[in-house]
Amino acid sequence: MSIRCNDANRAFFLQAGGCSYALQVTDGDYLAHVYFGRQLPDSDLSYLLRLDENPFTPSVNDRDRAVYMDTLPFECPCFGIGDYREAAVQILDADGMSACDFRYDSYTVTAGKTAIPGMPATFASDEDAQTLCIRMVDKHAELELLLYYTAFEKLNVITRSAMVKNLGNRSCYIQRLLSATLELDDSNFDMITLNGSWARERHAERAPLHMGKQRIDSVRGESSHQNNPFFALARPNADEDCGEVYGFNLIYSGNFMAQAERTQHQCVRAQIGINPTDFRWLLEPGESFWAPEAVLVYSCEGLGGMSRTFHDLYRTHLIRSPFRDKRRPVLINNWEATYFDFDADKLISIAEEASRLGIELFVMDDGWFGHRDSDNSSLGDWRVYESKLKGGLKPLVDKINALGMEFGIWFEPEMVSPDSDLYRAHPDWAIQIPGRDLTLCRAQYVLDYSRKEVRDYVYNMLCDILRSANITYVKWDMNRQLTEVGSAALPAESQRELWHRYVLGVYELMERFVTDFPHILLENCSGGGARYDAGMLYYSPQIWASDDTDAIERLKIQYGSSLCYPVSAMGAHVSVCPNHAVGRNTSFVTRGHVAMVGTFGYELDVTKLSEEERNMIPWQIDTYKRFCHLMRDGDQYRLANPNSNTEYDAWMFVSKDQSEALFTYVQILRRPNYRSRRITLRGLKADAYYRVEETGAVYSGAALMYAGLNLENLWGDFQSKQIYLTEVEKEC
Ligand code: DGJ
């Protein structure tokens, strides 16, 4: 890793892992992008800037400024000065003008990494990263723009963020400030995005770039079930193992946009940041505004290389939880077992059987507070529902602890039910537009987390519960999106800030929570996986991936999630069949193999399982305990794509020293005339030998990777197999 600055040429050269990123200040003090890709030894790449391209006016004018503005690859394109592609920064100044013009001023280089106030971001020691800060100034508007670039020592990663400060004595508005723009010199790319809906989040889609703008976004107040704040630009020939891929991810949990624009000259402008739709931020003299952090990954080892880089970055430089490197307790959650229909006796009977089978943590889900018997009341009244839990929480928790199990609890702290003491006392605490009907969604409203008194009030209730018994796990849920976005506490000129202020409020409360309760394992959740984003990983080492627990549906969800996020963070449970989301029957073994990829647990009534299934649980738990370090710390290789392959899915995890590996095969639909199937493995040492535990057979790594493992085909649909390989001294 190094950042080299050539003062004479005004050029900057960042080296991160095995990649290089180059910037150049041009005549006129514009900051241009030159290169991002494989590592280069050169220190001057300014020859690559194509500044003399034909203007659209005849060539008598070979440096027409308007054309120059519309073709230069900008690091942070400004709105309103002749660049008609998507802008990254737009200001509404005190005179009502919307153009801005930031020009290069100066730079600094520092060891380590700058934190972003109040927002999640990657972190790094002085040895692990270096940060370049480029100062840009708009003299007319009296604004400063700081562009941050962090290069990581061991990873092909550049992180970016931006900050605008008002240096003048008049207020203005920020209309948009995207976190990163990356200009690519050709447009021969496919765009890969993660899309879906409730219960089918993060299905990967891949399509060639076409002219114009291809965009995914959220205006829902959270990152959303529908689109995830991630995209990749892959060369058409890039696959899992080979080819160039650029990955983009926003460390943010609110409205976002992620876009690739194929321009008139067949270049690409790729951008990610807070969604400018309905965004406006008042900047008083002396004030600053920070955009969240964007992560840019470069891979010349296909999608697999990109994913492993994201996984390593997030496991070592984003997730902070003390649980990060620990085996998570195997949990049982009562949601699909009971929904709202439970009392203490029922929970204890499930816990007794669960503890006998070796399950370590009991999680009491929704329905334990206020007078909540369905989802139409009590959110905001975080007091125990005594008619369900007689004597309160402590006797229940003590009994569960006495069974040798830990106890966890569910909250939905950002919400309020119209039927709640909280709403009756403080109707103005809900996000709303006074005088307009408030849209109900899941019979609830969203609390105005931009207000400190609201956050404090809710937090104190949470603390009372958490301190009333021995609680070691919290599931933080969020089950609706925002509507009628207005705050009773903000002046008119700051109302459009509420989208972002809400997210900042959530972050502030989560920060307080992880500071005050470091011994509590936090799992984020949002109606399944609607807030499955890197922002949340800064606070919780795991996130519930989806309300769809069907093993076959999960293949697509887990494939897509793993493109960017480490599977060690993925909440995954074994549930009953027929599955509650799709009615499908799959074997208990397959459900176990699929859930074992994530933070393993159960979400069913163990007292109602068949003897055969119940007997499998101790074996599944032992298997998970034996191998979970591979999923948590190892390298993931996807060996099939369940979006296009209807016959099977397969993946493997390899320890960092390549001495052991776990291979999993899931047969989706059985195909006739295929008694066995060769699957080539990945990530092993070609010149080492590996023993297949099940058969004792020994094969070279080369044979396993280049020729394959011959896998007996399983009879029937939805079957699975797990194979453990260890390195052995030599061929036996
Ligand atoms: C949505 C979550 O994803 C579920 O697991 C469950 O906790 C419900 N909310 C409870 O309302």
Side-chain angles (χ1 to χ4, degrees), residues 333-370:
N333 177 303
N334 74 308
W335 179 241
E336 286 198 26
T338 66
Y339 295 102
F340 294 102
D341 181 19
F342 65 83
D343 59 14
D345 290 345
K346 199 180 222 177
L347 298 184
I348 288 165
S349 73
I350 295 175
E352 280 169 346
E353 186 58 19
S355 105
R356 203 181 63 74
L357 296 168
I359 297 173
E360 301 161 310
L361 163 67
F362 185 88
V363 178
M364 179 173 66
D365 210 279
D366 193 354
W368 60 265
F369 52 92

Side-chain angles (χ1 to χ4, degrees), residues 101-116:
D101 188 356
F102 286 98
R103 310 277 183 114
Y104 173 78
D105 175 75
S106 56
Y107 73 90
T108 55
V109 175
T110 49
K113 177 136 199 312
T114 319
I116 303 184

Side-chain angles (χ1 to χ4, degrees), residues 281-442:
W281 192 276
L282 176 66
L283 206 61
E284 300 280 13
E287 286 183 351
S288 314
F289 177 82
W290 281 85
E293 183 168 54
V295 177
L296 276 54
V297 166
Y298 173 75
S299 166
C300 52
E301 291 173 1
L303 293 169
M306 174 197 72
S307 299
R308 287 186 288 281
T309 302
F310 272 118
H311 298 176
D312 284 344
L313 179 76
Y314 290 169
R315 290 187 299 197
T316 51
H317 296 285
L318 180 66
I319 301 175
R320 303 172 293 168
S321 164
F323 293 88
R324 179 184 72 181
D325 303 322
K326 293 189 186 141
R327 178 178 75 72
R328 316 288 157 75
V330 176
L331 67 77
I332 184 155
N333 177 303
N334 74 308
W335 179 241
E336 286 198 26
T338 66
Y339 295 102
F340 294 102
D341 181 19
F342 65 83
D343 59 14
D345 290 345
K346 199 180 222 177
L347 298 184
I348 288 165
S349 73
I350 295 175
E352 280 169 346
E353 186 58 19
S355 105
R356 203 181 63 74
L357 296 168
I359 297 173
E360 301 161 310
L361 163 67
F362 185 88
V363 178
M364 179 173 66
D365 210 279
D366 193 354
W368 60 265
F369 52 92
H371 59 276
R372 189 149 163 107
D373 289 313
S374 73
D375 59 9
N376 64 10
S377 85
S378 305
L379 293 167
D381 294 346
W382 301 108
R383 289 179 296 273
V384 172
Y385 189 4
E386 291 274 347
S387 62
K388 279 189 182 178
L389 308 181
K390 293 200 176 56
L393 198 56
K394 190 160 182 338
L396 171 68
V397 177
D398 288 348
K399 279 191 191 135
I400 301 236
N401 286 168
L403 294 170
M405 296 178 90
E406 295 180 54
F407 185 86
I409 196 166
W410 177 98
F411 287 104
E412 197 177 355
E414 299 154 63
M415 298 293 151
V416 64
S417 306
D419 177 9
S420 66
D421 294 343
L422 180 65
Y423 186 72
R424 280 184 284 271
H426 300 285
D428 64 308
W429 282 11
I431 287 180
Q432 62 196 280
I433 299 177
R436 275 194 192 281
D437 286 347
L438 234 178
T439 302
L440 267 178
C441 177
R442 208 194 183 203

